[in-house]
Amino acid sequence: MKKIFTILLVALSVGASAQIFAHSGGTNSEGCHTNKKTGEYHCHNKK
């Protein structure tokens, strides 16, 4: 039981960290923003 719990905890941690570190920066009302590292303006939510 302890082994299953540990595996589940690791899997959830890895999955959550992928979302957290996807990239920085908020988006505007159209789902777009400027990447601070590259200066590129791009959108995430196609409308």
Side-chain angles (χ1 to χ4, degrees):
M1 183 70 174
K2 185 176 179 182
K3 187 176 182 178
I4 294 172
F5 177 74
T6 303
I7 292 170
L8 182 61
L9 184 62
V10 169
L12 290 173
S13 296
V14 170
S17 67
Q19 292 295 322
I20 293 169
F21 297 111
H23 72 66
S24 62
T27 56
N28 62 18
S29 62
E30 296 178 353
C32 306
H33 71 115
T34 302
N35 184 328
K36 293 178 182 176
K37 292 181 181 178
T38 65
E40 175 194 15
Y41 182 79
H42 63 275
C43 300
H44 294 265
N45 300 328
K46 303 284 183 191
K47 289 189 174 186

